[in-house]
Coordinates of all heavy atoms in Angstrom, one line a residue:
M731 N -11.2 91.0 -20.8 CA -12.6 90.5 -20.8 C -13.5 91.6 -21.2 O -13.4 92.7 -20.7 CB -13.0 90.0 -19.4 CG -12.6 88.6 -19.1 SD -13.4 88.0 -17.6 CE -12.2 88.5 -16.4
A732 N -14.4 91.3 -22.1 CA -15.3 92.3 -22.7 C -16.3 92.7 -21.6 O -16.7 93.9 -21.5 CB -16.0 91.7 -23.9
D733 N -16.7 91.8 -20.7 CA -17.7 92.1 -19.7 C -17.1 92.4 -18.3 O -17.7 92.3 -17.3 CB -18.6 90.9 -19.6 CG -19.4 90.6 -20.8 OD1 -19.8 91.5 -21.5 OD2 -19.5 89.4 -21.1
K734 N -15.9 92.9 -18.3 CA -15.1 93.1 -17.1 C -15.9 94.0 -16.1 O -16.1 93.7 -14.9 CB -13.8 93.7 -17.4 CG -12.9 93.8 -16.1 CD -11.5 94.3 -16.5 CE -10.7 94.5 -15.3 NZ -9.3 94.9 -15.6
E735 N -16.4 95.1 -16.6 CA -17.1 96.1 -15.7 C -18.4 95.5 -15.2 O -18.7 95.6 -14.0 CB -17.4 97.4 -16.5 CG -17.9 98.5 -15.5 CD -17.0 98.9 -14.4 OE1 -15.8 98.9 -14.6 OE2 -17.5 99.1 -13.3
A736 N -19.1 94.7 -16.0 CA -20.3 94.1 -15.6 C -20.0 93.0 -14.5 O -20.8 92.9 -13.6 CB -21.1 93.5 -16.8
I737 N -18.9 92.3 -14.7 CA -18.5 91.3 -13.7 C -18.2 92.0 -12.4 O -18.6 91.5 -11.3 CB -17.4 90.5 -14.3 CG1 -17.8 89.6 -15.4 CG2 -16.7 89.7 -13.2 CD1 -16.7 88.9 -16.2
I738 N -17.5 93.0 -12.4 CA -17.1 93.8 -11.2 C -18.4 94.2 -10.5 O -18.5 94.1 -9.3 CB -16.2 95.0 -11.5 CG1 -14.8 94.5 -12.1 CG2 -16.0 95.8 -10.3 CD1 -14.0 93.6 -11.1
V739 N -19.3 94.8 -11.2 CA -20.6 95.2 -10.6 C -21.3 94.1 -10.0 O -21.8 94.2 -8.8 CB -21.5 95.9 -11.7 CG1 -22.9 96.1 -11.2 CG2 -20.9 97.2 -12.1
R740 N -21.4 92.9 -10.7 CA -22.1 91.8 -10.1 C -21.3 91.3 -8.8 O -22.0 90.9 -7.9 CB -22.1 90.6 -11.1 CG -23.1 90.9 -12.2 CD -23.0 89.8 -13.3 NE -24.0 90.0 -14.4 CZ -25.0 89.3 -14.6 NH1 -25.3 88.3 -13.8 NH2 -25.8 89.5 -15.6
L741 N -20.0 91.3 -8.9 CA -19.3 90.8 -7.7 C -19.4 91.7 -6.5 O -19.5 91.3 -5.4 CB -17.8 90.7 -8.0 CG -17.4 89.5 -8.9 CD1 -16.0 89.5 -9.4 CD2 -17.7 88.2 -8.2
R742 N -19.6 93.0 -6.8 CA -19.8 94.0 -5.7 C -21.2 93.7 -5.1 O -21.4 93.9 -3.9 CB -19.7 95.4 -6.2 CG -18.2 95.8 -6.4 CD -18.0 97.2 -6.7 NE -16.6 97.5 -6.8 CZ -16.1 98.2 -7.9 NH1 -16.9 98.7 -8.8 NH2 -14.8 98.4 -8.0
R743 N -22.2 93.4 -6.0 CA -23.5 93.1 -5.5 C -23.5 91.8 -4.6 O -24.1 91.8 -3.5 CB -24.4 92.9 -6.7 CG -25.9 92.8 -6.3 CD -26.8 92.7 -7.5 NE -26.6 93.9 -8.4 CZ -26.5 93.8 -9.7 NH1 -26.5 92.6 -10.3 NH2 -26.4 94.9 -10.4
V744 N -22.7 90.8 -5.0 CA -22.6 89.6 -4.2 C -21.9 89.9 -2.9 O -22.3 89.5 -1.8 CB -21.8 88.5 -4.9 CG1 -21.4 87.3 -4.0 CG2 -22.5 88.0 -6.2
E745 N -20.9 90.8 -2.9 CA -20.2 91.2 -1.7 C -21.2 91.9 -0.7 O -21.2 91.6 0.5 CB -19.1 92.2 -2.0 CG -18.3 92.7 -0.8 CD -17.3 93.7 -1.2 OE1 -17.4 94.3 -2.3 OE2 -16.3 93.9 -0.5
G746 N -22.1 92.7 -1.3 CA -23.1 93.4 -0.5 C -24.1 92.3 0.1 O -24.5 92.5 1.3
Q747 N -24.4 91.3 -0.7 CA -25.3 90.3 -0.1 C -24.6 89.5 1.0 O -25.3 89.2 2.0 CB -25.7 89.3 -1.3 CG -26.6 89.8 -2.3 CD -26.9 88.8 -3.4 OE1 -25.9 88.3 -4.0 NE2 -28.1 88.5 -3.7
I748 N -23.4 89.2 0.9 CA -22.6 88.5 1.9 C -22.6 89.4 3.2 O -22.8 88.9 4.3 CB -21.2 88.1 1.5 CG1 -21.3 87.2 0.2 CG2 -20.4 87.5 2.6 CD1 -22.0 85.9 0.4
K749 N -22.3 90.6 3.0 CA -22.3 91.5 4.2 C -23.7 91.6 4.9 O -23.8 91.6 6.1 CB -21.8 92.9 3.8 CG -20.3 93.0 3.5 CD -19.9 94.4 3.1 CE -18.4 94.4 2.8 NZ -17.9 95.7 2.5
G750 N -24.7 91.6 4.0 CA -26.1 91.5 4.6 C -26.3 90.3 5.4 O -27.0 90.3 6.4
I751 N -25.8 89.1 4.9 CA -26.0 87.9 5.6 C -25.3 87.9 6.9 O -25.8 87.5 7.9 CB -25.5 86.7 4.7 CG1 -26.4 86.5 3.5 CG2 -25.4 85.4 5.5 CD1 -25.8 85.6 2.4
Q752 N -24.1 88.5 6.9 CA -23.3 88.6 8.1 C -24.1 89.4 9.2 O -24.2 89.1 10.4 CB -22.0 89.3 7.9 CG -21.0 88.4 7.1 CD -19.7 89.2 6.7 OE1 -19.7 90.4 6.6 NE2 -18.7 88.4 6.5
K753 N -24.7 90.5 8.7 CA -25.5 91.4 9.6 C -26.7 90.6 10.1 O -27.1 90.7 11.3 CB -26.0 92.6 8.8 CG -26.7 93.6 9.7 CD -27.0 94.9 8.9 CE -27.8 95.8 9.7 NZ -28.3 97.0 9.0
M754 N -27.4 89.8 9.2 CA -28.5 89.0 9.6 C -28.1 88.0 10.8 O -28.9 87.9 11.7 CB -29.1 88.3 8.5 CG -29.8 89.2 7.4 SD -30.4 88.3 6.0 CE -31.8 87.5 6.6
V755 N -27.0 87.4 10.6 CA -26.5 86.4 11.6 C -26.2 87.2 12.9 O -26.6 86.7 14.0 CB -25.3 85.7 11.1 CG1 -24.6 84.9 12.2 CG2 -25.6 84.8 9.9
D756 N -25.6 88.3 12.8 CA -25.2 89.1 14.0 C -26.5 89.5 14.7 O -26.5 89.6 15.9 CB -24.4 90.3 13.5 CG -23.8 91.1 14.7 OD1 -23.3 90.4 15.6 OD2 -23.9 92.3 14.7
E757 N -27.5 89.8 14.0 CA -28.8 90.3 14.6 C -29.7 89.2 14.9 O -30.9 89.4 15.3 CB -29.5 91.3 13.6 CG -28.7 92.6 13.4 CD -29.3 93.5 12.4 OE1 -30.2 93.1 11.7 OE2 -28.7 94.6 12.2
D758 N -29.3 87.9 14.8 CA -30.1 86.7 15.1 C -31.4 86.7 14.4 O -32.4 86.4 14.9 CB -30.4 86.7 16.6 CG -29.1 86.5 17.5 OD1 -28.2 85.7 17.0 OD2 -29.0 87.1 18.5
K759 N -31.3 87.0 13.1 CA -32.5 86.9 12.2 C -32.9 85.5 12.0 O -32.2 84.5 12.3 CB -32.2 87.6 10.9 CG -31.9 89.0 10.9 CD -33.1 89.8 11.3 CE -32.8 91.3 11.3 NZ -33.9 92.2 11.7
F760 N -34.1 85.3 11.5 CA -34.7 84.0 11.3 C -33.8 83.2 10.4 O -33.4 83.6 9.3 CB -36.1 84.1 10.7 CG -36.8 82.8 10.4 CD1 -37.1 81.9 11.3 CD2 -37.2 82.6 9.1 CE1 -37.7 80.7 11.0 CE2 -37.8 81.4 8.7 CZ -38.1 80.5 9.7
C761 N -33.5 81.9 10.8 CA -32.6 81.1 10.0 C -33.1 80.8 8.6 O -32.3 80.8 7.6 CB -32.4 79.7 10.7 SG -31.6 79.8 12.2
G762 N -34.4 80.7 8.4 CA -34.9 80.5 7.0 C -34.6 81.7 6.1 O -34.3 81.5 4.9
D763 N -34.7 82.9 6.6 CA -34.4 84.1 5.9 C -32.9 84.1 5.5 O -32.6 84.5 4.4 CB -34.8 85.4 6.6 CG -36.3 85.5 6.8 OD1 -37.1 84.9 6.0 OD2 -36.7 86.3 7.7
I764 N -32.1 83.7 6.4 CA -30.6 83.7 6.2 C -30.3 82.7 5.1 O -29.6 83.0 4.2 CB -29.9 83.4 7.5 CG1 -30.0 84.5 8.5 CG2 -28.4 83.2 7.2 CD1 -29.5 84.2 9.9
L765 N -31.0 81.5 5.2 CA -30.7 80.5 4.1 C -31.2 80.9 2.8 O -30.5 80.6 1.7 CB -31.4 79.2 4.5 CG -30.7 78.5 5.8 CD1 -31.6 77.4 6.2 CD2 -29.4 78.0 5.4
V766 N -32.3 81.7 2.7 CA -32.7 82.2 1.4 C -31.7 83.2 0.8 O -31.4 83.1 -0.4 CB -34.1 82.9 1.5 CG1 -34.5 83.7 0.3 CG2 -35.2 81.8 1.8
Q767 N -31.1 84.0 1.7 CA -30.1 85.0 1.2 C -28.8 84.3 0.8 O -28.2 84.7 -0.2 CB -29.8 86.0 2.3 CG -31.0 87.0 2.5 CD -31.4 87.7 1.2 OE1 -30.6 88.2 0.5 NE2 -32.7 87.6 1.0
I768 N -28.5 83.2 1.5 CA -27.3 82.4 1.1 C -27.5 81.8 -0.3 O -26.7 81.8 -1.1 CB -27.0 81.3 2.2 CG1 -26.4 82.0 3.4 CG2 -26.0 80.3 1.6 CD1 -26.3 81.0 4.6
S769 N -28.7 81.3 -0.5 CA -29.1 80.7 -1.8 C -29.0 81.7 -2.9 O -28.5 81.5 -4.0 CB -30.5 80.1 -1.7 OG -30.8 79.6 -3.0
A770 N -29.5 82.9 -2.6 CA -29.5 84.0 -3.6 C -28.0 84.4 -3.9 O -27.7 84.6 -5.1 CB -30.3 85.2 -3.1
S771 N -27.2 84.5 -2.9 CA -25.8 84.8 -3.1 C -25.1 83.8 -3.9 O -24.3 84.1 -4.8 CB -25.1 85.0 -1.8 OG -25.7 86.1 -1.0
R772 N -25.3 82.5 -3.6 CA -24.7 81.4 -4.3 C -25.1 81.5 -5.8 O -24.3 81.3 -6.7 CB -25.1 80.1 -3.7 CG -24.4 78.9 -4.3 CD -24.8 77.6 -3.6 NE -24.5 77.6 -2.2 CZ -25.4 77.2 -1.3 NH1 -26.6 76.8 -1.6 NH2 -25.0 77.2 0.0
S773 N -26.4 81.7 -6.1 CA -26.9 81.8 -7.4 C -26.2 83.0 -8.2 O -25.8 82.8 -9.3 CB -28.4 82.0 -7.4 OG -28.9 82.1 -8.7
A774 N -26.1 84.1 -7.5 CA -25.5 85.3 -8.2 C -24.0 85.0 -8.5 O -23.5 85.4 -9.5 CB -25.6 86.5 -7.2
L775 N -23.3 84.3 -7.6 CA -21.9 84.0 -7.8 C -21.8 83.0 -8.9 O -20.9 83.1 -9.8 CB -21.3 83.5 -6.5 CG -19.8 83.5 -6.4 CD1 -19.2 84.8 -6.7 CD2 -19.4 83.0 -5.0
N776 N -22.7 82.0 -9.0 CA -22.7 81.1 -10.1 C -22.9 81.7 -11.4 O -22.3 81.4 -12.4 CB -23.7 80.0 -9.9 CG -23.3 78.9 -8.9 OD1 -22.1 78.8 -8.6 ND2 -24.3 78.3 -8.3
N777 N -23.8 82.8 -11.5 CA -24.0 83.5 -12.7 C -22.7 84.2 -13.1 O -22.4 84.2 -14.3 CB -25.1 84.5 -12.5 CG -26.5 83.8 -12.5 OD1 -26.7 82.7 -13.0 ND2 -27.5 84.5 -11.8
V778 N -22.0 84.8 -12.2 CA -20.8 85.5 -12.5 C -19.8 84.5 -13.1 O -19.1 84.7 -14.1 CB -20.2 86.2 -11.3 CG1 -18.8 86.7 -11.6 CG2 -21.1 87.4 -10.9
G779 N -19.7 83.3 -12.4 CA -18.8 82.3 -12.9 C -19.1 81.8 -14.3 O -18.2 81.5 -15.1
G780 N -20.4 81.7 -14.6 CA -20.8 81.3 -15.9 C -20.4 82.3 -17.0 O -20.0 81.9 -18.1
I781 N -20.5 83.6 -16.6 CA -20.0 84.6 -17.6 C -18.5 84.5 -17.8 O -18.1 84.6 -18.9 CB -20.4 86.1 -17.0 CG1 -21.9 86.3 -17.0 CG2 -19.7 87.1 -17.9 CD1 -22.4 87.5 -16.3
I782 N -17.8 84.3 -16.7 CA -16.3 84.2 -16.9 C -16.0 82.9 -17.7 O -15.1 83.0 -18.5 CB -15.7 84.2 -15.5 CG1 -15.8 85.6 -14.9 CG2 -14.2 83.8 -15.6 CD1 -15.4 85.7 -13.4
L783 N -16.7 81.8 -17.4 CA -16.4 80.6 -18.1 C -16.7 80.8 -19.6 O -16.0 80.3 -20.5 CB -17.2 79.5 -17.5 CG -17.0 78.1 -18.1 CD1 -15.6 77.6 -17.9 CD2 -17.9 77.1 -17.4
E784 N -17.8 81.4 -19.9 CA -18.2 81.6 -21.3 C -17.1 82.5 -22.0 O -16.7 82.2 -23.1 CB -19.5 82.4 -21.4 CG -20.0 82.7 -22.8 CD -21.3 83.5 -22.8 OE1 -21.9 83.8 -21.8 OE2 -21.7 83.8 -23.9
N785 N -16.7 83.5 -21.3 CA -15.6 84.4 -21.8 C -14.3 83.6 -22.1 O -13.7 83.7 -23.1 CB -15.3 85.5 -20.9 CG -14.3 86.5 -21.4 OD1 -14.5 87.1 -22.4 ND2 -13.1 86.5 -20.7
Y786 N -14.0 82.7 -21.2 CA -12.8 81.9 -21.3 C -12.9 81.0 -22.5 O -12.0 80.8 -23.3 CB -12.6 81.0 -20.0 CG -11.4 80.0 -20.1 CD1 -10.1 80.5 -20.1 CD2 -11.7 78.7 -20.3 CE1 -9.1 79.6 -20.2 CE2 -10.7 77.8 -20.4 CZ -9.3 78.2 -20.4 OH -8.3 77.3 -20.5
M787 N -14.1 80.3 -22.7 CA -14.3 79.4 -23.8 C -14.2 80.2 -25.1 O -13.7 79.7 -26.1 CB -15.6 78.6 -23.6 CG -15.5 77.6 -22.5 SD -16.9 76.5 -22.4 CE -18.4 77.5 -22.6
K788 N -14.9 81.3 -25.2 CA -14.9 82.1 -26.4 C -13.6 82.7 -26.8 O -13.2 82.7 -28.0 CB -16.0 83.2 -26.4 CG -17.4 82.6 -26.5 CD -18.4 83.8 -26.4 CE -19.8 83.2 -26.6 NZ -20.8 84.3 -26.4
N789 N -12.9 83.3 -25.8 CA -11.7 84.1 -26.1 C -10.4 83.3 -25.9 O -9.4 83.7 -26.5 CB -11.7 85.3 -25.2 CG -12.8 86.2 -25.5 OD1 -13.2 86.4 -26.7 ND2 -13.5 86.7 -24.5
C790 N -10.4 82.3 -25.1 CA -9.1 81.6 -24.8 C -9.1 80.3 -25.6 O -8.0 79.8 -25.9 CB -8.9 81.3 -23.3 SG -8.9 82.9 -22.4
I791 N -10.2 79.6 -25.8 CA -10.2 78.3 -26.5 C -10.4 78.5 -27.9 O -9.6 78.1 -28.8 CB -11.3 77.4 -25.8 CG1 -11.0 77.1 -24.3 CG2 -11.3 76.1 -26.6 CD1 -9.7 76.4 -24.1
L792 N -11.5 79.1 -28.3 CA -11.9 79.3 -29.7 C -10.8 80.1 -30.5 O -10.6 79.8 -31.7 CB -13.2 79.9 -29.9 CG -14.4 79.0 -29.6 CD1 -15.7 79.8 -29.8 CD2 -14.4 77.8 -30.5
E793 N -10.2 81.1 -29.9 CA -9.3 81.9 -30.6 C -7.9 81.5 -30.4 O -7.0 82.2 -30.8 CB -9.5 83.4 -30.1 CG -10.9 83.9 -30.5 CD -11.1 85.4 -30.0 OE1 -10.1 86.0 -29.5 OE2 -12.2 85.8 -30.2
A794 N -7.6 80.4 -29.7 CA -6.3 79.9 -29.6 C -5.7 79.5 -31.0 O -6.4 78.9 -31.8 CB -6.2 78.6 -28.7
P795 N -4.5 79.9 -31.2 CA -3.9 79.7 -32.6 C -3.8 78.2 -33.0 O -4.0 77.8 -34.1 CB -2.6 80.3 -32.5 CG -2.3 80.6 -31.1 CD -3.6 80.6 -30.4
D796 N -3.5 77.3 -32.0 CA -3.3 75.9 -32.3 C -4.5 75.0 -32.0 O -4.7 74.0 -32.6 CB -2.1 75.4 -31.7 CG -2.1 75.5 -30.2 OD1 -3.0 76.1 -29.6 OD2 -1.2 75.0 -29.5
G797 N -5.3 75.5 -31.0 CA -6.5 74.7 -30.6 C -6.2 73.3 -30.3 O -6.8 72.4 -30.8
S798 N -5.2 73.1 -29.5 CA -4.7 71.8 -29.2 C -5.6 71.0 -28.2 O -6.4 71.6 -27.6 CB -3.3 71.9 -28.5 OG -3.3 72.4 -27.3
E799 N -5.3 69.7 -28.1 CA -6.0 68.9 -27.2 C -5.7 69.3 -25.7 O -6.5 69.1 -24.8 CB -5.7 67.4 -27.4 CG -6.5 66.4 -26.6 CD -6.3 65.0 -27.0 OE1 -5.9 64.7 -28.1 OE2 -6.5 64.2 -26.1
E800 N -4.5 69.8 -25.5 CA -4.1 70.3 -24.2 C -5.1 71.4 -23.8 O -5.4 71.5 -22.6 CB -2.7 70.9 -24.3 CG -1.8 70.6 -23.1 CD -0.4 71.0 -23.4 OE1 0.4 70.2 -23.9 OE2 -0.1 72.2 -23.0
D801 N -5.4 72.3 -24.7 CA -6.3 73.4 -24.4 C -7.7 72.9 -23.9 O -8.3 73.3 -23.0 CB -6.5 74.4 -25.6 CG -5.3 75.2 -25.9 OD1 -4.5 75.4 -24.9 OD2 -5.1 75.5 -27.0
L802 N -8.2 71.9 -24.7 CA -9.4 71.2 -24.3 C -9.4 70.5 -23.0 O -10.3 70.7 -22.2 CB -9.8 70.2 -25.4 CG -11.2 69.5 -25.2 CD1 -12.3 70.6 -25.2 CD2 -11.4 68.6 -26.4
D803 N -8.3 69.9 -22.7 CA -8.1 69.2 -21.4 C -8.1 70.2 -20.2 O -8.7 70.0 -19.2 CB -6.8 68.4 -21.3 CG -6.8 67.2 -22.2 OD1 -7.9 66.7 -22.5 OD2 -5.7 66.7 -22.6
K804 N -7.5 71.4 -20.5 CA -7.5 72.4 -19.5 C -8.9 73.0 -19.2 O -9.3 73.2 -18.1 CB -6.5 73.6 -19.9 CG -6.3 74.6 -18.8 CD -5.2 75.5 -19.2 CE -4.8 76.4 -18.1 NZ -3.7 77.3 -18.4
L805 N -9.6 73.1 -20.3 CA -11.0 73.6 -20.2 C -11.8 72.6 -19.4 O -12.6 73.0 -18.5 CB -11.7 73.8 -21.5 CG -13.2 74.1 -21.5 CD1 -13.5 75.4 -20.8 CD2 -13.7 74.1 -23.0
I806 N -11.7 71.3 -19.7 CA -12.4 70.3 -18.9 C -12.0 70.3 -17.4 O -12.9 70.2 -16.6 CB -12.1 68.9 -19.6 CG1 -12.8 68.8 -20.9 CG2 -12.6 67.8 -18.6 CD1 -12.4 67.6 -21.8
E807 N -10.8 70.5 -17.2 CA -10.3 70.5 -15.8 C -10.9 71.7 -15.0 O -11.4 71.6 -13.9 CB -8.8 70.6 -15.7 CG -8.2 70.7 -14.3 CD -6.7 70.9 -14.4 OE1 -6.0 70.6 -15.4 OE2 -6.2 71.4 -13.4
I808 N -11.0 72.9 -15.7 CA -11.6 74.1 -15.1 C -13.1 73.9 -14.9 O -13.6 74.2 -13.8 CB -11.3 75.3 -16.0 CG1 -9.8 75.7 -15.9 CG2 -12.2 76.5 -15.6 CD1 -9.4 76.7 -17.0
M809 N -13.7 73.3 -15.8 CA -15.2 73.1 -15.7 C -15.5 72.1 -14.6 O -16.4 72.3 -13.8 CB -15.8 72.6 -17.0 CG -15.8 73.7 -18.1 SD -16.6 73.2 -19.6 CE -18.3 73.1 -19.1
L810 N -14.7 71.1 -14.4 CA -14.9 70.1 -13.3 C -14.7 70.8 -12.0 O -15.5 70.6 -11.0 CB -14.0 68.9 -13.5 CG -14.3 68.0 -14.6 CD1 -13.2 66.9 -14.8 CD2 -15.7 67.3 -14.4
K811 N -13.7 71.6 -11.8 CA -13.5 72.4 -10.6 C -14.6 73.3 -10.3 O -15.0 73.5 -9.2 CB -12.1 73.1 -10.6 CG -10.9 72.2 -10.5 CD -9.7 72.9 -10.6 CE -8.5 72.0 -10.5 NZ -7.2 72.7 -10.6
Y812 N -15.0 74.0 -11.4 CA -16.1 75.0 -11.2 C -17.4 74.5 -10.8 O -18.1 75.0 -10.0 CB -16.2 75.8 -12.6 CG -17.4 76.8 -12.6 CD1 -17.4 77.9 -11.8 CD2 -18.5 76.5 -13.3 CE1 -18.4 78.8 -11.8 CE2 -19.6 77.4 -13.3 CZ -19.5 78.5 -12.5 OH -20.6 79.4 -12.5
T813 N -17.7 73.3 -11.3 CA -19.0 72.7 -11.0 C -19.1 71.9 -9.7 O -20.1 71.4 -9.3 CB -19.5 71.7 -12.1 OG1 -18.5 70.7 -12.3 CG2 -19.7 72.5 -13.4
K814 N -18.0 71.9 -8.9 CA -18.0 71.2 -7.6 C -18.7 72.0 -6.6 O -18.8 73.2 -6.6 CB -16.6 70.9 -7.2 CG -16.0 69.7 -7.9 CD -14.7 69.3 -7.3 CE -14.2 68.1 -8.0 NZ -13.0 67.6 -7.4

């Protein structure tokens, strides 16, 4: 993956956000603040997923030597799982 290092950095940031949420829960912080942080973490993780999905489509589907219908079916399956 061309963006491997950027993805790792983003995932570490998400990991830090999750640890922060754990700390907030442990310290009995305001529920609204915790929910905002959960939303931010979910958004950050979705962004990482989008980058990985884009990379998969560009490098695994477009550059596939045969570009079969099977490859397209696999992409659709992955996208359906990802968007749940």
